[in-house]
Amino acid sequence: MNAIQCHGFAKHIAALIFGTAPDVRADKNYDHVTRIGDWLIYSELDGMELWVGDVIRSGEHTAVVYQVKNGYVTVVEALGGLNCEIRWGGFNGTSQSTHSSVISQLKYVCRYAGDYIYLGDLNSDMYFDAVDMFLMNRYLSSGSRDG
């Protein structure tokens, strides 16, 4: 089996983003849609749209979707080997990848399905609003969220 570096790196990035990583194996096949913890693993990819934060797996490579824009997909990935290069760009070391070319290579897609924490939502009510602005201003002036 290949993918020790890239698979571990992608799971690490997912854990940094979502607080959890998909408990998937690089060499396992998954049926249709499988839920594992806070993650959905899709193996039926016809018509699927990739989302930012998706952990994507081909036969030999794993990466995290960083951007989907104008029909192109940008990933963050570790390219294995002696130098273990960390890079942003097209999937599996390419300079750019179209959405359709990436989907056609994939074995499965892992998508976070847990509760999202919104950036700036300091009181965890799922909204970024005046209360959060108040808390942010209080923190910036005192260095404490509690005043």
Side-chain angles (χ1 to χ4, degrees):
M1 176 185 76
N2 260 338
I4 293 169
Q5 293 166 321
C6 64
H7 196 71
F9 177 77
K11 289 175 72 171
H12 177 69
I13 294 298
L16 291 174
I17 296 169
F18 300 111
T20 179
D23 188 17
V24 292
R25 293 176 44 123
D27 61 345
K28 183 171 168 65
N29 292 318
Y30 295 91
D31 293 324
H32 308 290
V33 179
T34 304
R35 184 171 189 120
I36 301 175
D38 287 335
W39 292 84
L40 294 173
I41 294 81
Y42 296 90
S43 61
E44 297 291 328
L45 304 177
D46 290 336
M48 179 160 205
E49 293 294 321
L50 293 174
W51 293 2
V52 171
D54 284 348
V55 176
I56 58 176
R57 174 78 190 154
S58 69
E60 297 293 323
H61 188 62
T62 309
V64 177
V65 175
Y66 175 75
Q67 182 180 59
V68 180
K69 185 176 180 182
N70 298 326
Y72 289 90
V73 175
T74 304
V75 300
V76 58
E77 61 189 354
L79 296 177
L82 186 59
N83 296 328
C84 192
E85 178 185 1
I86 307 298
R87 65 177 299 279
W88 287 259
F91 183 63
N92 205 3
T94 60
S95 60
Q96 63 178 353
S97 297
T98 64
H99 187 276
S100 58
S101 73
V102 172
I103 287 287
S104 70
Q105 298 176 58
L106 298 181
K107 181 176 174 182
Y108 59 76
V109 172
C110 303
R111 180 165 292 159
Y112 182 71
D115 293 330
Y116 284 90
I117 299 170
Y118 292 97
L119 184 63
D121 179 21
L122 300 179
N123 63 345
S124 302
D125 65 356
M126 301 300 288
Y127 298 99
F128 177 66
D129 54 18
V131 175
D132 298 303
M133 290 299 294
F134 171 78
L135 292 171
M136 188 179 304
N137 285 327
R138 184 166 64 182
Y139 174 78
L140 292 173
S141 62
S142 70
S144 170
R145 199 174 149 180
D146 301 321

